[in-house]
Amino acid sequence: AVGRTATTNVTHVLLIDNTLSMTDQAPKAQSSFPNCFEQAKARVEDLANAAVRSNSPQTFIVMTLDQPDVPLFHDKLNEDSVAQLRKRLADLKPTHAHLDANVGLEACKKQLGNLKESKRWLHLLSDFRDHDWGYGPANEKLHAPLTEIAATGTQIALIDCAVPPRAGQGRSLEYHNNFAITDFRPEKRVAPAG
């Protein structure tokens, strides 16, 4: 096996889950972030800050589930490009829709397929709700592209942004008691004629 040298190009494809579940409010005692989405953005910054200090050239391709075919960021990392990435992340907002993670994974697979002369990483940043990511008949098509991506030699990192952090593998995550409108009706008034 050939070891990594200072000239090895490394490309990181990062897919940020920006669906409604990522806005789940985190109790202050359990996280320094207000919600899962803000934690995901901070984790991307942490990865970029670590990668830019590497001896080898590092490229980041950052994508979101709502617009997987239009990368939020695609550039080689240096101090200037990391600052640009930081600005784009600061402006990034979650969507209030439910999105198909399979569409995002297919877009990632396409990006990774274009990288022939590079060491490849796929980073998935999500709260990994069982409904969206778990094994089951509804999610069978979701796991096929992951298997295909892994078969190409791409390293895959699942970055769990759930709050509170899961204590172990397979542990389900409880939803927090956020405020919601549960009833909406007009107020009744009785007034004398005239």
Side-chain angles (χ1 to χ4, degrees):
V2 178
R4 189 165 123 187
T5 66
T7 58
T8 302
N9 293 316
V10 183
T11 302
H12 304 264
V13 175
L14 300 92
L15 180 63
I16 302 173
D17 180 350
N18 61 335
T19 58
L20 181 61
S21 71
M22 292 289 283
T23 64
D24 185 32
Q25 299 298 303
K28 289 180 182 176
Q30 295 177 347
S31 176
S32 57
F33 301 100
N35 55 46
C36 302
F37 188 67
E38 291 302 319
Q39 182 174 189
K41 294 195 299 185
R43 296 294 294 275
V44 171
E45 281 191 46
D46 291 344
L47 287 168
N49 290 334
V52 79
R53 293 191 300 267
S54 173
N55 292 330
S56 59
Q58 307 274 322
T59 299
F60 262 37
I61 303 172
V62 181
M63 305 157 74
T64 58
L65 273 184
D66 67 330
Q67 292 186 317
D69 293 323
V70 183
L72 176 75
F73 178 87
H74 186 169
D75 206 349
K76 286 190 186 289
L77 292 184
N78 55 46
E79 295 300 330
D80 292 336
S81 65
V82 169
Q84 185 65 29
L85 171 60
R86 196 173 291 118
K87 181 181 183 315
R88 290 186 188 172
L89 288 170
D91 295 338
L92 183 62
K93 305 291 183 216
T95 180
H96 294 290
H98 175 79
L99 302 168
D100 187 356
N102 186 58
V103 175
L105 287 175
E106 289 293 344
C108 290
K109 187 171 88 170
K110 184 177 176 183
Q111 287 282 355
L112 290 161
N114 295 331
L115 307 169
K116 304 298 181 196
E117 303 299 322
S118 179
K119 183 173 181 179
R120 298 173 305 280
W121 275 88
L122 172 62
H123 306 269
L124 302 176
L125 297 101
S126 177
D127 54 1
F128 295 108
R129 300 284 180 182
D130 191 57
H131 177 268
D132 298 321
W133 296 89
Y135 282 99
N139 293 336
E140 281 181 11
K141 66 178 184 175
L142 175 66
H143 298 283
L146 278 174
T147 303
E148 292 169 15
I149 289 168
T152 66
T154 299
Q155 301 293 317
I156 300 175
L158 305 179
I159 302 175
D160 189 1
C161 300
V163 177
R166 290 174 172 90
Q169 274 189 322
R171 180 173 172 246
S172 62
L173 184 69
E174 294 180 11
Y175 288 84
H176 302 120
N177 293 322
N178 292 330
F179 288 103
I181 296 172
T182 58
D183 192 19
F184 188 75
R185 61 182 172 212
E187 183 179 353
K188 296 179 184 174
R189 294 188 177 200
V190 179

